[in-house]
Amino acid sequence: MSSTPIVAATTPFKVEVEEGKSYFWCACGRSARQPFCDGSHKDTGISPLKWTADASRTVFFCGCKQSAKAPMCDGSHKSL
């Protein structure tokens, strides 16, 4: 398997998060539970990124896996 992330979506994932809760963002793009990890990264050399919410709010997780501000969307999908 390749160690290069694949594009899971060309738009961000809008998610309501809970303050203090940790989320494991899929960095490889292979998870069936986007934007979160389901273990599909096995043997890719890519690991999920743990992110903990500092407040209960709406956030936009990166779907293209190209964001420089991972796990949050930075608009990188616009140049794909």
Side-chain angles (χ1 to χ4, degrees):
M1 230 183 244
S2 173
S3 62
T4 303
I6 61 172
V7 175
T10 56
T11 57
F13 293 95
K14 182 179 177 181
V15 178
E16 296 292 326
V17 296
E18 296 176 37
E19 181 177 1
K21 184 175 177 181
S22 292
Y23 299 84
F24 289 86
W25 175 72
C26 169
C28 72
R30 292 165 175 80
S31 176
R33 293 182 49 234
Q34 291 295 330
F36 305 115
C37 178
D38 69 359
S40 295
H41 63 275
K42 186 177 179 185
D43 299 325
T44 65
I46 303 172
S47 297
L49 180 65
K50 181 181 178 182
W51 180 82
T52 303
D54 58 359
S56 293
R57 59 191 171 111
T58 301
V59 298
F60 293 87
F61 284 96
C62 174
C64 72
K65 313 306 176 182
Q66 309 301 309
S67 177
K69 297 184 179 191
M72 296 300 134
C73 176
D74 70 356
S76 294
H77 62 276
K78 294 176 185 176
S79 64
L80 296 178

Coordinates of all heavy atoms in Angstrom, one line a residue:
M1 N 0.8 -1.2 0.0 CA 0.0 0.0 0.0 C 0.9 1.2 0.0 O 1.9 1.3 0.6 CB -0.9 0.0 1.2 CG -2.3 0.2 0.9 SD -3.3 0.3 2.4 CE -4.4 -1.1 2.1
S2 N 0.4 2.3 -0.6 CA 1.1 3.5 -0.7 C 1.1 4.3 0.6 O 0.2 4.3 1.3 CB 0.5 4.4 -1.8 OG 1.1 5.7 -1.9
S3 N 2.2 5.1 0.8 CA 2.3 5.9 2.0 C 1.9 7.3 1.6 O 2.1 8.3 2.4 CB 3.7 5.9 2.5 OG 4.6 6.5 1.6
T4 N 1.2 7.5 0.5 CA 0.7 8.8 0.1 C -0.8 8.8 0.4 O -1.5 7.9 0.0 CB 0.9 9.0 -1.4 OG1 2.3 8.9 -1.7 CG2 0.4 10.4 -1.9
P5 N -1.3 9.9 1.1 CA -2.7 10.0 1.3 C -3.5 10.1 0.0 O -3.0 10.7 -0.9 CB -2.9 11.3 2.1 CG -1.5 11.7 2.5 CD -0.5 11.0 1.6
I6 N -4.7 9.5 0.0 CA -5.6 9.6 -1.1 C -6.7 10.7 -0.8 O -7.0 10.9 0.4 CB -6.2 8.3 -1.5 CG1 -7.1 7.7 -0.4 CG2 -5.2 7.3 -2.0 CD1 -7.9 6.5 -0.8
V7 N -7.2 11.3 -1.7 CA -8.3 12.3 -1.5 C -9.6 11.6 -1.2 O -10.1 10.8 -2.0 CB -8.4 13.2 -2.8 CG1 -9.6 14.2 -2.6 CG2 -7.1 13.9 -3.1
A8 N -10.1 11.8 0.0 CA -11.3 11.2 0.4 C -12.5 12.0 -0.1 O -13.6 11.4 -0.4 CB -11.3 11.0 1.9
A9 N -12.3 13.3 -0.1 CA -13.4 14.2 -0.6 C -12.8 15.5 -1.1 O -11.7 15.9 -0.6 CB -14.4 14.5 0.6
T10 N -13.5 16.2 -2.0 CA -13.0 17.4 -2.5 C -13.7 18.6 -1.7 O -13.6 19.8 -2.2 CB -13.2 17.5 -4.0 OG1 -14.6 17.3 -4.3 CG2 -12.4 16.5 -4.7
T11 N -14.3 18.3 -0.6 CA -14.9 19.3 0.2 C -14.6 18.9 1.7 O -14.4 17.7 2.0 CB -16.4 19.4 0.1 OG1 -17.0 18.2 0.3 CG2 -16.8 19.9 -1.4
P12 N -14.7 19.9 2.6 CA -14.4 19.5 4.0 C -15.6 18.8 4.6 O -16.7 18.9 4.1 CB -14.2 20.9 4.7 CG -14.9 21.9 3.8 CD -14.8 21.3 2.4
F13 N -15.4 18.2 5.8 CA -16.5 17.5 6.5 C -16.9 18.4 7.7 O -16.1 18.7 8.5 CB -16.0 16.2 7.1 CG -15.7 15.2 6.0 CD1 -14.4 15.0 5.5 CD2 -16.7 14.4 5.5 CE1 -14.1 14.0 4.5 CE2 -16.4 13.4 4.5 CZ -15.2 13.3 4.0
K14 N -18.2 18.8 7.7 CA -18.7 19.7 8.7 C -19.1 18.7 9.9 O -19.9 17.8 9.7 CB -19.9 20.4 8.2 CG -20.6 21.3 9.2 CD -21.8 22.0 8.6 CE -22.5 22.9 9.6 NZ -23.6 23.6 8.9
V15 N -18.6 19.0 11.1 CA -18.8 18.1 12.2 C -19.1 19.0 13.5 O -18.4 19.9 13.7 CB -17.6 17.2 12.5 CG1 -17.8 16.3 13.7 CG2 -17.3 16.4 11.3
E16 N -20.1 18.6 14.2 CA -20.3 19.2 15.5 C -19.5 18.4 16.5 O -19.6 17.2 16.7 CB -21.8 19.0 15.9 CG -22.8 19.8 15.0 CD -22.6 21.3 15.1 OE1 -22.4 21.8 16.2 OE2 -22.8 21.9 14.1
V17 N -18.6 19.1 17.2 CA -17.7 18.5 18.2 C -18.0 18.9 19.6 O -18.7 19.9 19.8 CB -16.2 18.8 17.9 CG1 -15.8 18.2 16.5 CG2 -15.9 20.3 18.0
E18 N -17.6 18.1 20.5 CA -17.9 18.3 22.0 C -16.6 18.7 22.7 O -15.6 18.0 22.5 CB -18.5 17.0 22.6 CG -19.8 16.6 22.1 CD -20.2 15.3 22.7 OE1 -20.0 15.1 23.9 OE2 -20.8 14.5 22.0
E19 N -16.7 19.7 23.5 CA -15.6 20.2 24.3 C -15.0 19.1 25.1 O -15.7 18.3 25.7 CB -16.0 21.3 25.2 CG -14.9 21.9 26.0 CD -15.3 23.1 26.9 OE1 -16.5 23.4 26.9 OE2 -14.5 23.6 27.6
G20 N -13.6 19.0 25.0 CA -12.9 18.0 25.8 C -12.8 16.6 25.1 O -12.1 15.7 25.5
K21 N -13.6 16.3 24.1 CA -13.6 15.0 23.4 C -12.5 15.0 22.4 O -12.3 15.9 21.7 CB -15.0 14.8 22.8 CG -15.1 13.4 22.1 CD -16.5 13.2 21.6 CE -16.5 11.8 20.9 NZ -17.8 11.5 20.3
S22 N -11.9 13.8 22.3 CA -10.8 13.6 21.3 C -11.4 12.9 20.1 O -12.2 12.0 20.2 CB -9.7 12.8 21.9 OG -9.0 13.5 22.9
Y23 N -10.9 13.3 18.9 CA -11.3 12.7 17.7 C -10.0 12.3 16.9 O -9.0 12.9 17.0 CB -12.0 13.8 16.8 CG -13.2 14.3 17.5 CD1 -13.2 15.3 18.4 CD2 -14.5 13.8 17.2 CE1 -14.3 15.8 19.1 CE2 -15.6 14.2 17.8 CZ -15.6 15.2 18.8 OH -16.7 15.6 19.4
F24 N -10.1 11.2 16.2 CA -8.9 10.7 15.5 C -9.2 10.8 14.0 O -10.0 10.1 13.4 CB -8.7 9.2 15.8 CG -8.1 9.1 17.2 CD1 -8.9 9.0 18.3 CD2 -6.7 9.1 17.4 CE1 -8.4 8.9 19.6 CE2 -6.2 9.0 18.7 CZ -7.0 9.0 19.8
W25 N -8.6 11.9 13.4 CA -8.8 12.3 12.0 C -8.1 11.3 11.1 O -6.9 11.0 11.3 CB -8.3 13.7 11.8 CG -8.4 14.2 10.4 CD1 -9.5 14.5 9.7 CD2 -7.2 14.4 9.6 NE1 -9.1 15.0 8.4 CE2 -7.7 14.9 8.3 CE3 -5.9 14.3 9.7 CZ2 -6.9 15.3 7.3 CZ3 -5.0 14.7 8.7 CH2 -5.6 15.1 7.5
C26 N -8.7 10.8 10.1 CA -8.1 9.9 9.1 C -7.2 10.7 8.2 O -7.6 11.7 7.5 CB -9.2 9.3 8.2 SG -8.6 8.4 6.8
A27 N -5.9 10.4 8.3 CA -4.9 11.1 7.5 C -4.6 10.4 6.2 O -4.0 11.0 5.3 CB -3.6 11.3 8.3
C28 N -5.0 9.2 6.0 CA -4.6 8.4 4.8 C -5.7 8.5 3.7 O -5.4 8.3 2.6 CB -4.4 6.9 5.2 SG -5.9 6.0 5.6
G29 N -6.9 8.9 4.1 CA -8.0 9.0 3.1 C -8.7 7.7 2.8 O -9.6 7.6 2.0
R30 N -8.3 6.6 3.5 CA -8.9 5.3 3.1 C -10.1 4.9 4.0 O -10.8 3.9 3.7 CB -7.8 4.2 3.2 CG -6.8 4.4 2.1 CD -5.5 3.6 2.4 NE -4.6 3.7 1.2 CZ -3.8 4.7 1.0 NH1 -3.8 5.7 1.8 NH2 -3.0 4.7 -0.1
S31 N -10.3 5.6 5.1 CA -11.4 5.2 6.1 C -12.7 5.3 5.4 O -13.1 6.2 4.7 CB -11.3 6.1 7.3 OG -12.4 5.9 8.2
A32 N -13.6 4.3 5.8 CA -15.0 4.3 5.3 C -15.8 5.2 6.3 O -17.0 5.5 6.0 CB -15.5 2.9 5.3
R33 N -15.2 5.7 7.4 CA -15.9 6.5 8.4 C -15.4 8.0 8.3 O -15.3 8.6 9.4 CB -15.7 5.9 9.8 CG -16.3 4.6 10.0 CD -16.1 4.1 11.4 NE -16.4 5.1 12.4 CZ -15.6 5.5 13.4 NH1 -14.4 5.0 13.5 NH2 -16.0 6.4 14.2
Q34 N -15.1 8.5 7.2 CA -14.6 9.9 7.0 C -15.4 10.9 7.8 O -16.6 10.8 7.8 CB -14.6 10.3 5.5 CG -13.6 9.5 4.7 CD -12.1 9.8 5.1 OE1 -11.8 10.8 5.6 NE2 -11.3 8.8 5.0
P35 N -14.8 11.8 8.4 CA -13.4 12.1 8.4 C -12.5 11.4 9.4 O -11.4 11.7 9.7 CB -13.3 13.6 8.6 CG -14.4 13.8 9.6 CD -15.5 12.9 9.2
F36 N -13.1 10.4 10.1 CA -12.4 9.8 11.2 C -11.9 8.4 10.8 O -12.3 7.8 9.9 CB -13.4 9.6 12.4 CG -14.0 10.9 12.8 CD1 -15.3 11.2 12.6 CD2 -13.2 12.0 13.2 CE1 -15.9 12.4 13.0 CE2 -13.7 13.2 13.6 CZ -15.0 13.4 13.5
C37 N -10.9 8.0 11.6 CA -10.1 6.8 11.3 C -11.0 5.5 11.6 O -11.7 5.5 12.6 CB -8.9 6.8 12.2 SG -7.9 5.3 12.1
D38 N -10.8 4.5 10.8 CA -11.4 3.2 11.1 C -10.4 2.1 11.0 O -10.7 0.9 11.0 CB -12.6 2.9 10.1 CG -12.1 2.7 8.7 OD1 -10.9 2.8 8.4 OD2 -13.0 2.4 7.8
G39 N -9.1 2.5 11.0 CA -8.0 1.5 11.0 C -7.5 1.1 9.6 O -6.6 0.3 9.4
S40 N -8.1 1.7 8.5 CA -7.7 1.4 7.2 C -6.3 1.8 6.8 O -5.8 1.4 5.7 CB -8.7 2.0 6.2 OG -10.0 1.5 6.3
H41 N -5.7 2.6 7.7 CA -4.3 3.0 7.4 C -3.3 1.9 7.6 O -2.1 2.1 7.2 CB -4.0 4.2 8.3 CG -4.0 3.9 9.7 ND1 -5.1 3.9 10.5 CD2 -3.0 3.5 10.6 CE1 -4.9 3.5 11.7 NE2 -3.6 3.3 11.8
K42 N -3.7 0.8 8.1 CA -2.7 -0.3 8.4 C -1.8 -0.6 7.1 O -2.3 -0.7 6.0 CB -3.5 -1.5 8.8 CG -2.6 -2.7 9.2 CD -3.3 -3.9 9.7 CE -2.4 -5.0 10.1 NZ -3.0 -6.2 10.4
D43 N -0.6 -0.6 7.4 CA 0.5 -0.9 6.3 C 0.6 0.2 5.3 O 1.2 0.0 4.3 CB 0.1 -2.2 5.6 CG 0.1 -3.4 6.5 OD1 0.9 -3.5 7.4 OD2 -0.7 -4.3 6.2
T44 N 0.2 1.4 5.6 CA 0.4 2.6 4.7 C 1.5 3.5 5.2 O 2.0 4.3 4.4 CB -0.9 3.5 4.7 OG1 -1.1 4.1 6.0 CG2 -2.1 2.8 4.2
G45 N 1.9 3.4 6.5 CA 2.9 4.2 7.0 C 2.3 5.6 7.4 O 3.1 6.5 7.8
I46 N 1.0 5.7 7.3 CA 0.3 6.9 7.7 C -0.5 6.6 9.0 O -1.2 5.6 9.0 CB -0.6 7.4 6.6 CG1 0.2 7.7 5.3 CG2 -1.3 8.7 7.0 CD1 -0.7 7.9 4.1
S47 N -0.4 7.6 9.9 CA -1.2 7.4 11.2 C -2.2 8.4 11.3 O -2.1 9.6 10.8 CB -0.2 7.5 12.4 OG 0.7 6.4 12.4
P48 N -3.3 8.1 12.0 CA -4.4 9.1 12.2 C -3.8 10.2 13.1 O -2.9 10.0 13.9 CB -5.5 8.3 12.9 CG -4.8 7.2 13.5 CD -3.7 6.8 12.6
L49 N -4.5 11.4 13.1 CA -4.1 12.5 13.9 C -5.1 12.7 15.0 O -6.3 12.9 14.7 CB -4.0 13.8 13.0 CG -3.6 15.1 13.7 CD1 -2.2 14.9 14.3 CD2 -3.7 16.2 12.8
K50 N -4.7 12.7 16.3 CA -5.6 12.9 17.4 C -5.8 14.4 17.5 O -4.8 15.2 17.5 CB -5.0 12.4 18.7 CG -5.8 12.6 19.9 CD -5.2 12.0 21.1 CE -6.1 12.2 22.4 NZ -5.4 11.7 23.6
W51 N -7.0 14.8 17.7 CA -7.4 16.2 17.9 C -8.4 16.3 19.0 O -9.4 15.5 19.0 CB -8.0 16.8 16.5 CG -8.4 18.2 16.6 CD1 -7.6 19.3 16.5 CD2 -9.7 18.7 16.9 NE1 -8.3 20.5 16.6 CE2 -9.6 20.1 16.9 CE3 -10.9 18.1 17.1 CZ2 -10.7 20.9 17.1 CZ3 -12.1 18.9 17.3 CH2 -11.9 20.3 17.3
T52 N -8.2 17.2 19.9 CA -9.2 17.4 21.0 C -9.9 18.7 20.9 O -9.2 19.8 20.8 CB -8.4 17.2 22.4 OG1 -7.8 16.0 22.4 CG2 -9.4 17.3 23.5
A53 N -11.2 18.7 21.0 CA -12.0 19.9 20.9 C -11.8 20.8 22.1 O -11.9 20.3 23.2 CB -13.4 19.6 20.7
D54 N -11.5 22.1 21.8 CA -11.4 23.0 22.9 C -12.7 23.7 23.4 O -12.8 24.4 24.4 CB -10.3 24.1 22.6 CG -10.7 24.9 21.3 OD1 -11.8 24.6 20.7 OD2 -10.0 25.8 20.9
A55 N -13.7 23.5 22.5 CA -15.0 24.0 22.8 C -16.1 23.2 22.0 O -15.7 22.6 21.0 CB -15.1 25.4 22.4
S56 N -17.3 23.2 22.4 CA -18.4 22.5 21.7 C -18.8 23.5 20.6 O -19.1 24.7 20.9 CB -19.6 22.2 22.5 OG -19.2 21.2 23.5
R57 N -18.6 23.1 19.3 CA -18.9 24.0 18.2 C -18.9 23.2 16.9 O -18.6 22.0 16.9 CB -17.8 25.1 18.1 CG -16.4 24.5 18.0 CD -15.3 25.6 18.2 NE -14.0 25.1 18.3 CZ -13.1 25.2 17.4 NH1 -13.3 26.0 16.3 NH2 -11.9 24.7 17.5
T58 N -19.1 23.9 15.8 CA -19.0 23.3 14.4 C -17.6 23.5 13.9 O -17.1 24.6 14.0 CB -20.0 23.9 13.5 OG1 -21.3 23.8 14.0 CG2 -20.0 23.3 12.1
V59 N -17.0 22.5 13.4 CA -15.7 22.6 12.7 C -15.7 21.9 11.4 O -16.6 21.2 11.1 CB -14.5 22.0 13.6 CG1 -14.4 22.7 14.9 CG2 -14.8 20.5 13.8
F60 N -14.7 22.2 10.6 CA -14.6 21.6 9.2 C -13.3 20.8 9.1 O -12.2 21.4 9.0 CB -14.7 22.7 8.2 CG -16.0 23.4 8.1 CD1 -16.3 24.4 9.0 CD2 -17.0 22.9 7.3 CE1 -17.6 25.0 9.0 CE2 -18.3 23.5 7.3 CZ -18.6 24.5 8.1
F61 N -13.4 19.5 9.2 CA -12.3 18.6 9.0 C -11.9 18.5 7.5 O -12.8 18.4 6.7 CB -12.6 17.2 9.6 CG -12.5 17.1 11.1 CD1 -13.7 17.2 11.8 CD2 -11.4 17.0 11.8 CE1 -13.7 17.2 13.2 CE2 -11.3 16.9 13.2 CZ -12.5 17.0 13.9
C62 N -10.6 18.5 7.2 CA -10.1 18.3 5.9 C -10.6 17.0 5.3 O -10.4 16.0 5.9 CB -8.6 18.4 5.9 SG -7.8 18.1 4.3
G63 N -11.1 17.1 4.0 CA -11.5 15.9 3.3 C -10.5 15.4 2.3 O -10.4 14.3 1.9
C64 N -9.7 16.4 1.8 CA -8.7 16.1 0.7 C -7.4 15.6 1.2 O -6.6 15.1 0.4 CB -8.5 17.3 -0.2 SG -7.5 18.7 0.6
K65 N -7.1 15.7 2.5 CA -5.9 15.2 3.2 C -4.7 16.0 2.7 O -3.6 15.5 2.9 CB -5.7 13.7 2.9 CG -7.0 12.9 3.2 CD -7.6 13.1 4.6 CE -8.9 12.3 4.7 NZ -9.5 12.6 6.0
Q66 N -4.9 17.2 2.2 CA -3.7 18.0 1.7 C -3.5 19.3 2.6 O -2.6 20.0 2.3 CB -4.0 18.4 0.3 CG -4.3 17.3 -0.7 CD -3.3 16.2 -0.7 OE1 -2.1 16.5 -0.9 NE2 -3.6 15.0 -0.6
S67 N -4.4 19.5 3.6 CA -4.3 20.7 4.4 C -3.0 20.9 5.1 O -2.5 19.9 5.7 CB -5.5 20.7 5.4 OG -5.4 21.8 6.2
A68 N -2.5 22.1 5.1 CA -1.3 22.4 5.9 C -1.7 22.7 7.4 O -0.9 22.8 8.2 CB -0.7 23.7 5.4
K69 N -3.0 22.7 7.7 CA -3.5 22.9 9.0 C -4.3 21.7 9.5 O -5.2 21.9 10.3 CB -4.4 24.2 9.1 CG -3.7 25.4 8.7 CD -4.5 26.7 8.9 CE -3.7 27.9 8.5 NZ -4.4 29.1 8.9
A70 N -3.9 20.5 9.1 CA -4.5 19.3 9.5 C -4.7 19.2 11.0 O -3.8 19.6 11.7 CB -3.7 18.1 9.0
P71 N -5.9 18.8 11.4 CA -6.9 18.1 10.7 C -8.0 19.0 10.1 O -8.9 18.6 9.5 CB -7.5 17.2 11.7 CG -7.5 17.9 13.0 CD -6.1 18.7 12.9
M72 N -7.8 20.3 10.3 CA -8.8 21.3 9.8 C -8.6 21.7 8.4 O -7.4 21.7 7.9 CB -8.8 22.6 10.7 CG -9.2 22.3 12.1 SD -10.8 21.6 12.3 CE -10.6 20.3 13.4
C73 N -9.7 22.0 7.7 CA -9.6 22.4 6.3 C -8.9 23.8 6.2 O -9.2 24.7 7.0 CB -11.0 22.5 5.7 SG -11.1 23.1 4.0
D74 N -8.0 23.9 5.2 CA -7.4 25.2 5.0 C -7.7 25.7 3.5 O -7.1 26.7 3.0 CB -5.9 25.2 5.2 CG -5.1 24.4 4.2 OD1 -5.7 23.7 3.3 OD2 -3.9 24.4 4.3
G75 N -8.6 25.0 2.8 CA -9.0 25.4 1.5 C -8.1 24.7 0.4 O -8.3 25.0 -0.8
S76 N -7.2 23.8 0.8 CA -6.3 23.2 -0.2 C -7.1 22.4 -1.3 O -6.6 22.3 -2.4 CB -5.4 22.2 0.5 OG -4.5 22.9 1.3
H77 N -8.3 22.0 -0.9 CA -9.1 21.2 -1.9 C -9.5 22.0 -3.1 O -9.8 21.5 -4.2 CB -10.4 20.7 -1.2 CG -11.3 21.7 -0.7 ND1 -11.1 22.3 0.5 CD2 -12.4 22.4 -1.3 CE1 -12.1 23.2 0.7 NE2 -12.8 23.3 -0.3
K78 N -9.4 23.3 -3.0 CA -9.8 24.2 -4.1 C -8.8 24.2 -5.2 O -9.1 24.6 -6.4 CB -9.9 25.7 -3.6 CG -11.1 25.8 -2.7 CD -11.2 27.2 -2.1 CE -12.3 27.3 -1.1 NZ -12.3 28.7 -0.4
S79 N -7.6 23.7 -4.9 CA -6.5 23.7 -6.0 C -6.3 22.2 -6.5 O -5.4 22.0 -7.3 CB -5.2 24.2 -5.4 OG -4.7 23.4 -4.4
L80 N -7.2 21.3 -6.2 CA -7.1 19.9 -6.7 C -7.7 19.8 -8.1 O -8.5 20.5 -8.5 CB -7.8 19.0 -5.8 CG -7.2 18.8 -4.4 CD1 -8.0 17.9 -3.6 CD2 -5.8 18.4 -4.4

